Amino acid sequence: MTYSASTSDWAVEADGLVKTFGTNRAVDGIDLRVATGTVYGVLGPNGAGKTTTISMLATLLKPDAGSARIFGHDVQRESQVVRQLIGVTGQYASVDETLSATENLVLFSRLLGLSSSQAKVKAHDLLEEFHLTDAAKRPLKNFSGGMRRRLDLAASLIAQPPLIFLDEPTTGLDPRTRMQMWDTIRRLVSTGSTVLLTTQYLDEADQLADRIAVIDRGRVVAEGTSNELKASVGESSLELRLADNRDLDDVRVAIERVLGVDPTVSPEAGRITAPMNNPDRVTELLVTLREEGIHLAELSVAKPTLDEVFLTLTGRGVDDAETENTAELEGSRA
Amino acid sequence: MTTTTITPSPRPTTTIVPGVQRTLKNRVSIAETLSHTVTMAYRGLLKIKRTPEQLFDVTLQPIIFTLMFTYIFGGAIAGNVQNYLPIIIPGILVQTVITTSVVTGVQLREDMDKGVFDRFRSLPIARIAPLSGALLADTVRYLIATTLTITMGVIMGLRPAGGMGGVVAAALLVIVCSWAISWIFAFFGVIARTASSVQGISMLVLFPLTFLSNAFVPANTMPGWLQWFVNINPVSHLVTAVRDLMNNGTFGADAWISLLGAAVIVAIFAPLTVKAYMRKA
């Protein structure tokens, strides 16, 4: 089957993907375009539909509606072709726990058509590359989280697929292991791979991804480069805690007037948060507050978090989205 | 540091071949399917090697059942243990090996619940390979159970009149039929929600089938209505066929009926299982 070169600029093209589990529309019309040779981040809270989306793109789940193509090949009609072009690493696509690291890599290499001796060489090379040689024969039960992820990733790279799906590659890893994982992913990209990764951490998408799609409740709510996204939520946010909660309204008015932005008020905590587009004007705000005789208990500047991206883009916090969707999605994957 | 000069170390330096430049095909050939099946069976054997405790059923059951049933029933049914051995060993052989085939379904369910199954599904391999590989690997379990039961019988004094050829033929017949039956349990394994429910359903099917047969007791000692069932029970035919082969070296009507039954089971359950499996896979 041949395809015109024009479709090949995109590693991933998804149009209106829909997946429903029972009454829950886990993925509700997602469009994605991932350019070949780039890292694309899909950012969203638990249950936003990230894993479901990847599962459909990786031919593990059948979309209820919509279509997707990997390097121009339809995921449903040419699923076997697509499987030759992708590597999948995630919380789900894992390795066989009863086998050792070497046995796993040899098994997958053999399944991918390598001869017995080629498979051994491949397993050896990959273990070395991912610093797992010392643990090659140990049972996987004794592997740390970071070692498990590395082995998972190594297993996805046997066929050197031009597109790699990484589903939350660093969730649950300690900061040091997370950095190592990021280095590995960067190295991967330098060899010409296209990477589509999902994450709950804005920081991670920021570090790795050329473009980011923010998804929530199965929909893409924002798409762009990390700078574009951050610009939309403000580089950082200013957080004020007041000595007297009765001043909250006055402060809100002052912020709207001086900073020209719409702050978020948490009356219970006596806290008020505002996007900080222009740090210079904060001084003016503070002067205004002093002139009005309003006392602050605490003042801090917070970098944008996923929570704020969410608040800004959806008008809702991460927690709401999580409690609504997680339970049903987790259950339906079994 | 030791260096390997086998390959010109391709990984970190070489760039990945772009998707558009690859030759790809959307079909898996029969040769590849067979190769994937054998690789998956190899995985099954590695698993057995890693967790030898899962072989308890095929190692201990033949030994304990042979000892127990022979000494309990021997005197009552055949006058003495020596005369009972040619009757009971084929019976226990069939019962043990068929019971072993339940494990296929249980392990398949456990396996399908694991993350590694998702990886198998994301690979460009034959969809059926994880299933066919598991079924193939399980014939090793049947072989172990068969060998142990017959060895146990020989130790206790069984001298099969059918000779070596008859015994080997009997063993093969039991393994083939159990493999066929394992498709039934594989089907339960694929459609069931949990591994323990597979175990439950399978035992419910298996108990009447193996005990309401001529495996332990001659059918003519039973009431008429039960004799009717025992005589049509396929397990009875298989037991009779094994007795014929081991004790007389003859391959008679019962053996043909058993093979026909096995073929029918595979013809019905293999497509059912594969279909249910593909829907999930």
Side-chain angles (χ1 to χ4, degrees):
Chain A
M1 234 167 277
T2 50
Y3 282 81
S4 63
S6 63
T7 57
S8 64
D9 299 342
W10 298 117
V12 178
E13 301 164 89
D15 294 303
L17 283 181
V18 173
K19 185 74 197 178
T20 314
F21 297 119
T23 56
N24 173 33
R25 284 172 88 83
V27 172
D28 192 6
I30 280 190
D31 303 316
L32 285 179
R33 288 286 181 280
V34 178
T36 302
T38 62
V39 180
Y40 196 92
V42 174
L43 181 67
N46 278 333
K50 301 189 298 288
T51 299
T52 312
T53 305
I54 283 214
S55 298
M56 285 190 281
L57 295 175
T59 76
L60 297 175
L61 264 183
K62 230 187 173 133
D64 293 334
S67 65
R69 286 167 304 289
I70 306 293
F71 295 107
H73 299 282
D74 188 273
V75 293
Q76 289 192 73
R77 272 178 294 122
E78 297 172 88
S79 50
Q80 213 53 5
V81 167
V82 168
R83 290 181 193 121
Q84 288 159 63
L85 295 166
I86 59 168
V88 188
T89 300
Q91 309 138 298
Y92 48 90
S94 86
V95 286
D96 195 329
E97 280 160 34
T98 42
L99 309 185
S100 73
T102 308
E103 284 166 345
N104 264 295
L105 293 177
V106 168
L107 170 74
F108 293 122
S109 302
R110 295 282 286 143
L111 286 173
L112 289 165
L114 270 61
S115 75
S116 181
S117 56
Q118 284 173 327
K120 283 195 187 99
V121 172
K122 190 70 169 178
H124 175 269
D125 289 353
L126 281 171
L127 288 171
E128 196 148 285
E129 193 190 335
F130 285 88
H131 311 293
L132 290 167
T133 309
D134 295 339
K137 290 202 164 58
R138 256 192 277 159
L140 293 199
K141 279 179 238 94
N142 306 334
F143 268 41
S144 68
M147 289 159 80
R148 264 299 287 274
R149 299 292 170 97
R150 294 210 299 276
L151 181 61
D152 271 356
L153 187 54
S156 321
L157 300 182
I158 292 167
Q160 304 197 338
L163 172 63
I164 294 158
F165 293 109
L166 299 172
D167 192 18
E168 304 203 1
T170 64
T171 298
L173 296 187
D174 60 73
R176 203 173 67 100
T177 325
R178 171 169 301 165
M179 298 289 199
Q180 288 173 352
M181 198 70 187
W182 286 355
D183 281 343
T184 311
I185 295 169
R186 286 196 190 97
R187 208 148 34 88
L188 206 61
V189 177
S190 67
T191 64
S193 255
T194 307
V195 174
L196 192 157
L197 66 90
T198 71
T199 181
Q200 304 186 34
Y201 312 112
L202 181 62
D203 185 30
E204 184 162 291
D206 194 10
Q207 289 274 340
L208 296 170
D210 299 310
R211 287 191 81 81
I212 299 168
V214 180
I215 70 170
D216 178 42
R217 295 185 176 184
R219 290 177 163 279
V220 177
V221 292
E223 208 263 1
T225 63
S226 114
N227 281 339
E228 288 166 1
L229 280 182
K230 275 194 279 186
S232 75
V233 278
E235 274 298 328
S236 306
S237 60
L238 180 69
E239 204 173 286
L240 305 174
R241 204 154 62 77
L242 307 185
D244 188 344
N245 279 2
R246 282 170 297 185
D247 293 334
L248 271 173
D249 264 341
D250 294 338
V251 176
R252 191 171 53 80
V253 172
I255 289 175
E256 278 166 3
R257 186 160 44 83
V258 179
L259 297 182
V261 293
D262 201 10
T264 312
V265 183
S266 326
E268 301 84 1
R271 204 175 56 203
I272 190 157
T273 312
M276 197 168 69
N277 297 325
N278 186 351
D280 286 345
R281 310 200 68 157
V282 175
T283 325
E284 266 174 67
L285 174 69
L286 295 179
V287 171
T288 311
L289 292 183
R290 192 176 58 188
E291 282 168 357
E292 290 183 13
I294 296 168
H295 294 282
L296 298 178
E298 201 178 293
L299 178 151
S300 60
V301 175
K303 292 222 158 214
T305 62
L306 179 59
D307 215 352
E308 269 126 17
V309 175
F310 260 78
L311 272 169
T312 315
L313 293 172
T314 67
R316 248 165 4 101
V318 171
D319 290 341
D320 303 340
E322 224 170 281
T323 43
E324 274 170 37
N325 292 334
T326 315
E328 221 172 324
L329 181 71
E330 304 282 306
S332 55
R333 235 192 9 235
Chain B
M1 201 183 123
T2 53
T3 47
T4 42
T5 46
I6 314 161
T7 52
S9 182
R11 282 269 332 127
T13 46
T14 326
T15 51
I16 282 164
V17 181
V20 277
Q21 291 170 23
R22 299 188 174 210
T23 20
L24 307 158
K25 56 197 182 64
N26 203 24
R27 297 200 35 174
V28 182
S29 71
I30 293 183
E32 283 169 322
T33 305
L34 283 177
S35 146
H36 296 154
T37 299
V38 170
T39 306
M40 283 305 206
Y42 165 75
R43 164 177 177 258
L45 295 187
L46 276 179
K47 274 171 64 185
I48 292 177
K49 202 179 99 187
R50 286 282 148 148
T51 46
E53 61 271 20
Q54 58 155 303
L55 283 180
F56 276 161
D57 63 331
V58 291
T59 49
L60 294 184
Q61 193 183 323
I63 296 171
I64 292 170
F65 273 30
T66 312
L67 281 171
M68 224 167 62
F69 282 109
T70 311
Y71 289 111
I72 293 174
F73 295 140
I77 292 166
N80 60 53
V81 167
Q82 210 42 242
N83 289 341
Y84 188 50
L85 279 172
I87 301 170
I88 185 69
I89 294 298
I92 290 181
L93 179 63
V94 169
Q95 192 222 19
T96 307
V97 181
I98 290 182
T99 310
T100 303
S101 68
V102 171
V103 178
T104 303
V106 177
Q107 290 195 342
L108 196 63
R109 178 72 267 157
E110 282 175 355
D111 228 25
M112 287 177 75
D113 289 338
K114 282 187 196 151
V116 72
F117 238 73
D118 272 321
R119 187 185 291 284
F120 291 146
R121 292 169 50 211
S122 77
L123 296 177
I125 58 169
R127 306 277 81 196
I128 192 73
L131 178 65
S132 50
L135 283 156
L136 184 62
D138 274 344
T139 54
V140 172
R141 307 168 58 84
Y142 309 151
L143 192 65
I144 295 172
T146 305
T147 313
L148 278 176
T149 309
I150 295 174
T151 309
M152 221 28 227
V154 171
I155 290 172
M156 289 166 71
L158 175 72
R159 296 292 173 266
M164 198 58 191
V167 172
V168 171
L172 283 178
L173 183 68
V174 172
I175 292 172
V176 167
C177 290
S178 298
W179 180 81
I181 292 169
S182 73
W183 278 101
I184 302 179
F185 303 119
F187 177 66
F188 290 152
V190 172
I191 61 166
R193 288 169 77 91
T194 63
S196 58
S197 67
V198 180
Q199 179 89 28
I201 306 168
S202 304
M203 280 306 171
L204 211 64
V205 174
L206 213 59
F207 245 74
L209 273 178
T210 50
F211 277 93
L212 300 184
S213 75
N214 60 357
F216 306 103
V217 178
N220 55 28
T221 59
M222 302 172 193
W225 56 271
L226 189 56
Q227 276 191 41
W228 169 82
F229 179 79
V230 168
N231 287 331
I232 61 154
N233 185 351
V235 173
S236 299
H237 290 288
L238 179 57
V239 171
T240 309
V242 172
R243 281 181 191 148
D244 285 347
L245 279 166
M246 281 175 73
N247 301 329
N248 310 318
T250 52
F251 193 91
D254 286 299
W256 287 114
I257 293 173
S258 304
L259 284 179
L260 182 71
V264 169
I265 289 173
V266 174
I268 295 172
F269 278 91
L272 272 181
T273 311
V274 170
K275 208 174 156 207
Y277 173 80
M278 292 299 210
R279 209 178 305 128
K280 297 208 174 182

